[in-house]
Amino acid sequence: MAPPRDTPVAGKFPSDSAYTTDSSVLSLPSDPEKQTAADRDPEKQRSSSESPSSSRESIRVPGTTPDHITTANSLPDNSSINEKAHPTPDDDDFPTALDRLPSAATTIDFPEGGVTGWLVVLGSFSAMLSLFGLINSAAVFESYFFDTPAEYYQIILTYSVMGGLGGALLNSPAYGAIAHFFNMRRGLATGIATTAGGVGGVVFPVLLRSLLPGVGFAWSCRILAFIMLGLAIPSNLFIRTRLSPAKGADGRPKVQSVWPDFTVFKDARFAFASVGIFFMEWGLFVPLTFIVSYAAAHGQDATESYLLLSYLNAGSVVGRVLPGFLADRFGRFNVIIVTIALCVVTVLALWLPAGASQATLIAYAVLFGFASGSNLGLVPVCLGQLCDHRRYGRLYSTAMMVASFGTLSSVPIGGALLDSGDGEHGWKILIIFAGVSYTVALACYTAARVVAVGWSPRKIF
């Protein structure tokens, strides 16, 4: 068999890649698309394993030097060891992959692109354009709701409940499908797909600013709905899985449970990362929701206030691609820790003292957009680094279910904090809340990295 494509290439990827693992920890059947006739014939496999000249793939254990690479032929008894190292895959066995190795990614060959792989990225882009375009327009809706509605239950039922359900159903498949086609380049591929949120966050607010005064709230929402309906076409056509599901003892495909798997939180790395997302959501939705109202309260006209949201989302577009590209080379957790730290700095050093300064608010919007955009693009990649990609969708959904309570509570808490003080004092409390939330998220992701690989800043993880 050819060596797996996710094996690091000299000069292109880190030589001590954190994205491969010892197959004795987790063994899965070969990619059905890549199997040869010999792979599918048990008799040929048996004769091949008994042949002294048969070649096997080298296995690299993360954190070891090249001297520690072993091959199956160097072992005293291939057949007996293979039975132990390569058991029949079973859905219940997958959680054992979540150990303290830097990654539990499998040795299955990833295409790392190709026409189908990049079409999956396009389909994910389309799905996320609908989801995050709407989310990143929250400040426009908040400003409109604040000035117009007298009753809010319709807004809660539609924008919050129905929008939340639809977004959750789009989110996990869009991210999970990318993990089936990319491993070494997953940060870049996911970053490209998540630029949709920044693009939607630029286009949707500008569109709403023109539509709301002209056609009213109802038709503005209908026009957005038709746009999202059109985006659903490439999403449904292109998002697909690559590998067949594991089979049970009866030979039938084994369907994974769709319920959250809370046993994953026994892994301290995954637990810290998931809690970090919770606090990141607390910090993120404060500026996304209140930046327009903040500018208006400090003397900016309506046009300038709405443009701040566009500046923020424009910065987010760059922030989703560039850090993803760097993360594949310097470590996903390493890069996200840097960008979360940048969020802390921008919130406390730029937004907190900004006041009525338009230049400072624009600088804050662009820099925070860049930093927070990278957080959103790297979160799924970091979580995927901690689990097998065949369980990635379910485990990612479990983490995001926990984080959703942060999303749900961030805006109500922010509104209560804003009302707790008079004028400028309320705004300062709100901004400090966002800064402290990001500080806790920074501590959580740092802790996850330390648990995984220790304190050394040179370790790629």
Side-chain angles (χ1 to χ4, degrees), residues 261-295:
D261 182 6
F262 294 106
T263 62
V264 72
F265 294 112
K266 294 178 181 179
D267 184 299
R269 305 165 307 158
F270 203 97
F272 276 123
S274 300
V275 174
I277 303 171
F278 177 95
F279 285 100
M280 201 184 302
E281 296 290 286
W282 265 10
L284 173 64
F285 277 91
V286 168
L288 283 182
T289 305
F290 293 99
I291 187 67
V292 173
S293 299
Y294 177 88

Side-chain angles (χ1 to χ4, degrees), residues 47-220:
S47 62
S48 174
S49 65
E50 293 171 354
S51 172
S53 60
S54 62
S55 60
R56 294 291 183 91
E57 298 177 22
S58 294
I59 300 169
R60 174 73 183 274
V61 181
T64 63
T65 63
D67 295 335
H68 291 82
I69 298 177
T70 61
T71 62
N73 287 335
S74 65
L75 299 174
D77 188 349
N78 288 345
S79 59
S80 61
I81 291 180
N82 283 339
E83 290 178 1
K84 297 178 181 179
H86 300 273
T88 301
D90 188 276
D91 186 58
D92 296 333
D93 294 334
F94 282 125
T96 61
L98 287 166
D99 57 14
R100 291 183 178 273
L101 288 175
S103 173
T106 71
T107 55
I108 285 180
D109 190 11
F110 288 81
E112 300 295 350
V115 175
T116 304
W118 288 112
L119 284 176
V120 169
V121 173
L122 176 60
S124 298
F125 178 94
S126 302
M128 294 181 196
L129 184 57
S130 296
L131 170 59
F132 291 107
L134 188 64
I135 290 176
N136 291 341
S137 304
V140 178
F141 285 107
E142 187 273 337
S143 181
Y144 179 85
F145 295 155
F146 183 79
D147 295 331
T148 308
E151 296 181 346
Y152 287 90
Y153 74 92
Q154 301 99 328
I155 298 168
I156 294 175
L157 288 175
T158 54
Y159 188 82
S160 300
V161 177
M162 298 302 297
L165 286 173
L169 292 174
L170 283 174
N171 197 36
S172 293
Y175 282 124
I178 294 175
H180 272 229
F181 290 85
F182 296 87
N183 185 28
M184 296 298 297
R185 304 172 70 187
R186 190 178 298 170
L188 175 63
T190 305
I192 292 173
T194 57
T195 58
V199 173
V202 172
V203 174
F204 282 23
V206 173
L207 184 63
L208 286 170
R209 189 183 63 184
S210 301
L211 290 175
L212 286 171
V215 300
F217 178 76
W219 267 106
S220 297

Side-chain angles (χ1 to χ4, degrees), residues 234-280:
S235 300
N236 283 280
L237 288 177
F238 299 141
I239 294 178
R240 63 182 62 191
T241 185
R242 181 172 68 95
L243 301 173
S244 57
K247 294 183 178 180
D250 58 358
R252 296 181 179 179
K254 201 166 187 180
V255 180
Q256 286 192 39
S257 171
V258 298
W259 295 106
D261 182 6
F262 294 106
T263 62
V264 72
F265 294 112
K266 294 178 181 179
D267 184 299
R269 305 165 307 158
F270 203 97
F272 276 123
S274 300
V275 174
I277 303 171
F278 177 95
F279 285 100
M280 201 184 302

